[in-house]
Amino acid sequence: MSTLRQQNPLIHCMTNLVVTNFTANGLLAIGASPVMAYAKEETHEMAEAADALLLNIGTPSETVVESMIHAGQAANKKGTPVILDPVGAGATSFRNEMIARILQHVDITLIRGNAGEIAAILGEVGTVKGVDAQIKTDPVVLAKRAAEELKTLIVVTGEQDVVTDGSRTVTIKNGHEWLTRVVGTGCLLGGVLAAYLAINRDDKIKAAAEGLAYYGVAAERAYAKASDRGVASFQLEFLDALSTLSEEEAESFYRMEWL
Amino acid sequence: MSTLRQQNPLIHCMTNLVVTNFTANGLLAIGASPVMAYAKEETHEMAEAADALLLNIGTPSETVVESMIHAGQAANKKGTPVILDPVGAGATSFRNEMIARILQHVDITLIRGNAGEIAAILGEVGTVKGVDAQIKTDPVVLAKRAAEELKTLIVVTGEQDVVTDGSRTVTIKNGHEWLTRVVGTGCLLGGVLAAYLAINRDDKIKAAAEGLAYYGVAAERAYAKASDRGVASFQLEFLDALSTLSEEEAESFYRMEWL
Amino acid sequence: MSTLRQQNPLIHCMTNLVVTNFTANGLLAIGASPVMAYAKEETHEMAEAADALLLNIGTPSETVVESMIHAGQAANKKGTPVILDPVGAGATSFRNEMIARILQHVDITLIRGNAGEIAAILGEVGTVKGVDAQIKTDPVVLAKRAAEELKTLIVVTGEQDVVTDGSRTVTIKNGHEWLTRVVGTGCLLGGVLAAYLAINRDDKIKAAAEGLAYYGVAAERAYAKASDRGVASFQLEFLDALSTLSEEEAESFYRMEWL
């Protein structure tokens, strides 16, 4: 974490209308510099300046997705990591189309989704409810299949998180169920993964796994402090933890397992 | 409340840019599942999947209002409750037009507004200041008139809240003045009413009244905890209360009166 | 502050997608009435009704900037103060263009930016990183040059803040570095300055200086309470302070110096 705070990577976030503020504050808390820009006239310039680009399609529109592709291609040219968060994949055919279009035109470094979203991208049928989805396939199997088919790093989040490129795979058991009770914790995680990839391009799987574990430990600490108060206090304690917890301190609590 | 948490209704929110995050977190807190979607290409599908639809015109645009109508008609076909929150009615002629257009094309189940907004919809002149308005008509009289004219349930919020369909009327005296010192508490209330209507379609007036009373008791509890700290603490305690207060616990504090 | 709370000025905010909620809550906290409206069909009416207009181009688009100009011209006609916050000036050529276009068509009362943004508007080259920028010119010199060239009040914020119209200049040394660790504190400050100008049109420099000092003292108080907890607690305490700290109480801590 010290490295992240020292390097202070610039993360260009193109995210949804619901979580902009939370994502920006969360990224500031871990020591990254968030910048939000959506207009096609400027996204390529912002993406070129950034150390990583986050594309989150939680409230998609044709205009924004075009602009995302524009930014993604600028990032691709510079070799900048591009993270895709396919929020609500499978919920509407429009989202599926938008995701397909991004995947067709942009070289994605890492996709982060829950099992239902990743399954939906693969065309597998799950049970989708709004932007939440449930799927019965084993997440490790699902993640590997997606990594192979989409030729990108896959992070499947859930009770246990999985990171894989199809051959190397690691699971992370940190985190807390209350993360699902605060809006945008998945979306912010996408931003955190972008920050971890930005500062560690040599071993991206390890970087993603450490980002997940760190995020999870912060959540565990927040729950310990806020469990008897409620979800808003949990959110507060979580952001406080992201701003005060050093990676060194957190590390001893990481529960990673290489498969 | 237990029922709401058990049933976990999906609420499709088309709300304004200022309150998206707060609305989503508030709905999660009471046990509902919020989903935000705005693009015309997908709002019908999301509305079809949802258990209730919230239309809030706090930051209106032609495009979004068209998309709201599209979603509203999809909800109407399925018999899904549609809640309209006419934020700032009377403040600009554009808002009045947008509201009129929605009312013309969508069958609205319930309108929630303050007295000034409801009066503005009826074409009565009040004192509007930004999106806040003051009106001197007795809120019960006003609400009944609106219900008859607009043929829908009306909720007028204020020092005392009124719910009526024109013949059955109930007033609720829960709540706290500090709710007006936090942005979006009226907008979130629209979402909460949507959730209550989603799970209780047999007696909608009673459902709305209970939603209002529960919301008000949560505010009272929050004020008791935060009054000496400030408005941000009040907001925090309010969301915490929404996430921890059971309907059973709250019920004994309800101050409803059937007229 | 009592005056501000008594007069309760209506502030029409056209601000960026990241900070809408925080800006609105902050303005409510100090006793102003925020209203957000973006559609060209209504911004002139809202701006005419308002006591001040805030234009913040943090997430610019052609459409919104056109609408800002429309609102700005309506405000100009009524003699209503217009505050411009040129977020990320210098970061992309599109932002520079949008700012130039606003300056060309709207008579701006006050521009608030950090040194990098103000330098960028003057066409001076700084180091821009996302929407944060660093510049080596002395902020007092820079602010005076900008005031003369742009013929408007200039506020340059930083370790010490500067307000000047080119001839009268005041510096303010209140505030705390943690303000830079919470998203939107600069943007909210633009809104607070709008509120101070709205209620004190006779001596705008003094009004702006008092707004800056008050804001800074609230931040100092928040840091004293939250320094051992983290940045989310700081944000909470800051908003609480804005809602409870009277101007009378704060005044004795003002560190203003007229040059």
Side-chain angles (χ1 to χ4, degrees):
Chain A
M1 208 61 189
S2 54
T3 322
L4 205 156
R5 288 191 208 279
Q6 282 154 22
Q7 297 197 32
N8 185 229
L10 181 65
I11 313 301
H12 179 190
C13 302
M14 299 186 69
T15 189
N16 68 72
L17 294 172
V18 187
V19 304
T20 44
N21 187 272
F22 182 63
T23 302
N25 271 316
L27 285 174
L28 266 188
I30 63 166
S33 270
V35 64
M36 266 71 176
Y38 295 91
K40 198 175 174 180
E41 294 91 340
E42 70 168 357
T43 49
H44 60 289
E45 259 181 278
M46 212 56 112
E48 276 165 19
D51 300 304
L53 172 64
L54 172 67
L55 307 178
N56 173 308
I57 57 106
T59 49
S61 73
E62 285 264 355
T63 314
V64 167
V65 167
E66 263 180 51
S67 192
M68 284 180 173
I69 290 170
H70 190 61
Q73 291 178 336
N76 282 170
K77 267 187 206 156
K78 303 260 296 189
T80 305
V82 183
I83 284 72
L84 174 65
D85 192 333
V87 178
T92 69
S93 47
F94 177 64
R95 287 187 191 224
N96 295 347
E97 260 173 61
M98 291 301 103
I99 293 163
R101 201 185 291 177
I102 292 171
L103 287 172
Q104 194 183 339
H105 294 288
V106 181
D107 190 6
I108 299 295
T109 314
L110 182 152
I111 302 177
R112 182 217 76 86
N114 58 39
E117 290 161 347
I118 300 299
I121 295 179
L122 297 181
E124 294 178 16
V125 181
T127 316
V128 179
K129 180 176 182 181
V131 292
D132 295 320
Q134 283 172 331
I135 195 82
K136 285 189 178 164
T137 321
D138 175 76
V140 172
V141 173
L142 178 71
K144 282 181 160 182
R145 202 184 300 154
E148 279 158 20
E149 204 166 304
L150 302 166
K151 300 193 195 324
T152 180
L153 290 187
I154 297 288
V155 170
V156 173
T157 50
E159 233 175 296
Q160 80 169 2
D161 305 324
V162 183
V163 190
T164 186
D165 62 359
S167 56
R168 286 171 76 215
T169 303
V170 52
T171 64
I172 298 96
K173 287 191 178 147
N174 294 103
H176 192 275
E177 186 266 336
W178 273 30
L179 283 172
T180 64
R181 300 186 63 191
V182 175
V183 169
T185 52
C187 300
L188 169 56
L189 175 58
V192 170
L193 292 173
Y196 270 78
L197 292 196
I199 62 158
N200 191 340
R201 300 192 184 183
D202 297 333
D203 191 345
K204 295 198 184 81
I205 297 185
K206 186 161 167 275
E210 283 176 357
L212 285 158
Y214 175 80
Y215 200 77
V217 171
E220 292 162 14
R221 176 171 289 208
Y223 180 75
K225 288 195 180 170
S227 64
D228 58 346
R229 281 146 62 200
V231 294
S233 292
F234 173 74
Q235 180 182 23
L236 179 89
E237 295 289 352
F238 181 56
L239 282 174
D240 273 350
L242 290 179
S243 78
T244 55
L245 185 65
S246 73
E247 209 165 35
E248 289 73 23
E249 247 180 304
E251 230 165 26
S252 57
F253 301 99
Y254 289 0
R255 294 194 286 153
M256 283 187 209
E257 196 180 339
W258 291 88
L259 301 189
Chain B
M1 208 61 187
S2 53
T3 322
L4 205 156
R5 289 192 206 279
Q6 281 154 22
Q7 295 197 33
N8 185 229
L10 180 66
I11 313 302
H12 178 190
C13 303
M14 299 186 70
T15 190
N16 68 73
L17 293 172
V18 187
V19 304
T20 43
N21 187 274
F22 182 63
T23 302
N25 271 316
L27 285 173
L28 266 188
I30 64 166
S33 270
V35 65
M36 267 71 178
Y38 295 91
K40 198 174 175 181
E41 295 90 339
E42 69 169 357
T43 50
H44 60 287
E45 258 181 279
M46 213 55 111
E48 276 166 18
D51 300 303
L53 171 65
L54 172 67
L55 306 179
N56 173 309
I57 57 106
T59 49
S61 74
E62 285 264 355
T63 315
V64 167
V65 167
E66 263 181 51
S67 193
M68 284 180 173
I69 290 171
H70 191 62
Q73 292 178 337
N76 282 170
K77 267 189 206 153
K78 302 261 297 191
T80 305
V82 182
I83 283 74
L84 174 65
D85 192 333
V87 178
T92 68
S93 48
F94 178 64
R95 286 187 192 224
N96 295 349
E97 260 173 62
M98 292 300 103
I99 293 162
R101 201 185 290 176
I102 292 170
L103 287 172
Q104 194 183 337
H105 294 289
V106 182
D107 189 6
I108 300 294
T109 314
L110 181 152
I111 301 178
R112 182 219 76 87
N114 58 39
E117 290 160 347
I118 300 299
I121 296 179
L122 297 181
E124 295 177 15
V125 180
T127 316
V128 178
K129 180 175 181 179
V131 292
D132 295 320
Q134 283 170 332
I135 194 81
K136 284 188 178 165
T137 320
D138 176 76
V140 172
V141 174
L142 179 72
K144 281 181 161 181
R145 202 184 301 155
E148 279 157 19
E149 206 165 301
L150 302 166
K151 299 189 193 330
T152 179
L153 288 187
I154 297 289
V155 169
V156 173
T157 50
E159 230 175 297
Q160 80 169 2
D161 305 324
V162 183
V163 190
T164 186
D165 63 358
S167 55
R168 287 171 75 213
T169 303
V170 54
T171 65
I172 298 95
K173 287 191 178 147
N174 293 104
H176 192 275
E177 186 266 336
W178 274 29
L179 283 172
T180 65
R181 300 186 63 190
V182 174
V183 169
T185 51
C187 301
L188 169 55
L189 174 58
V192 169
L193 292 173
Y196 270 79
L197 292 196
I199 62 159
N200 190 341
R201 299 193 185 183
D202 297 333
D203 190 345
K204 296 199 182 81
I205 298 186
K206 187 161 167 275
E210 284 176 357
L212 285 158
Y214 175 80
Y215 199 75
V217 171
E220 292 162 14
R221 177 170 290 207
Y223 180 75
K225 289 197 179 168
S227 63
D228 58 346
R229 281 145 63 200
V231 295
S233 292
F234 174 74
Q235 179 181 26
L236 179 89
E237 295 289 353
F238 181 56
L239 283 175
D240 274 352
L242 290 178
S243 78
T244 55
L245 185 65
S246 72
E247 209 164 34
E248 289 73 24
E249 248 181 302
E251 230 164 25
S252 57
F253 301 99
Y254 289 0
R255 294 193 287 151
M256 282 187 210
E257 196 180 338
W258 290 87
L259 301 190
Chain C
M1 209 59 189
S2 53
T3 322
L4 205 156
R5 289 191 207 280
Q6 281 153 23
Q7 295 197 32
N8 185 228
L10 181 66
I11 313 302
H12 179 188
C13 303
M14 298 186 70
T15 191
N16 68 71
L17 294 172
V18 187
V19 304
T20 44
N21 187 273
F22 182 63
T23 301
N25 271 317
L27 285 174
L28 266 188
I30 63 166
S33 270
V35 64
M36 268 70 178
Y38 295 91
K40 198 175 175 181
E41 294 91 338
E42 68 168 358
T43 49
H44 60 290
E45 259 182 277
M46 213 54 113
E48 276 165 18
D51 300 304
L53 172 65
L54 172 68
L55 306 179
N56 173 308
I57 57 106
T59 49
S61 74
E62 285 265 355
T63 315
V64 167
V65 167
E66 263 181 52
S67 193
M68 284 179 173
I69 290 171
H70 190 62
Q73 292 178 335
N76 282 170
K77 268 189 205 155
K78 303 260 297 188
T80 305
V82 182
I83 283 72
L84 174 65
D85 192 332
V87 179
T92 68
S93 47
F94 178 64
R95 287 187 192 225
N96 295 348
E97 261 174 61
M98 292 299 104
I99 293 162
R101 202 185 290 176
I102 292 171
L103 287 172
Q104 194 183 337
H105 294 290
V106 181
D107 189 6
I108 300 294
T109 314
L110 182 152
I111 301 177
R112 182 218 77 87
N114 58 38
E117 289 160 346
I118 300 298
I121 295 179
L122 297 181
E124 295 178 16
V125 180
T127 317
V128 178
K129 180 175 182 180
V131 292
D132 296 320
Q134 283 171 333
I135 195 81
K136 285 190 178 164
T137 320
D138 176 75
V140 172
V141 174
L142 179 72
K144 282 180 160 182
R145 201 184 302 156
E148 279 158 22
E149 205 165 302
L150 302 166
K151 300 190 193 328
T152 180
L153 290 187
I154 297 289
V155 170
V156 173
T157 51
E159 232 176 295
Q160 80 170 1
D161 305 324
V162 183
V163 191
T164 186
D165 62 0
S167 55
R168 288 171 75 214
T169 302
V170 53
T171 64
I172 298 95
K173 287 192 177 144
N174 294 104
H176 191 276
E177 187 266 335
W178 273 31
L179 283 172
T180 65
R181 302 186 62 190
V182 174
V183 169
T185 52
C187 301
L188 169 55
L189 174 58
V192 169
L193 292 173
Y196 270 79
L197 292 196
I199 62 158
N200 190 340
R201 299 193 185 182
D202 298 333
D203 191 345
K204 296 201 183 80
I205 297 186
K206 187 162 168 275
E210 284 176 356
L212 284 158
Y214 175 81
Y215 200 76
V217 172
E220 292 162 15
R221 178 171 288 208
Y223 180 75
K225 289 196 178 170
S227 64
D228 59 345
R229 281 144 64 201
V231 295
S233 292
F234 173 74
Q235 179 181 26
L236 179 89
E237 294 289 352
F238 181 55
L239 282 175
D240 274 351
L242 290 179
S243 78
T244 55
L245 184 64
S246 73
E247 209 165 34
E248 289 74 23
E249 248 181 303
E251 231 164 23
S252 57
F253 301 100
Y254 289 2
R255 294 194 286 153
M256 282 187 209
E257 196 179 339
W258 290 88
L259 301 190

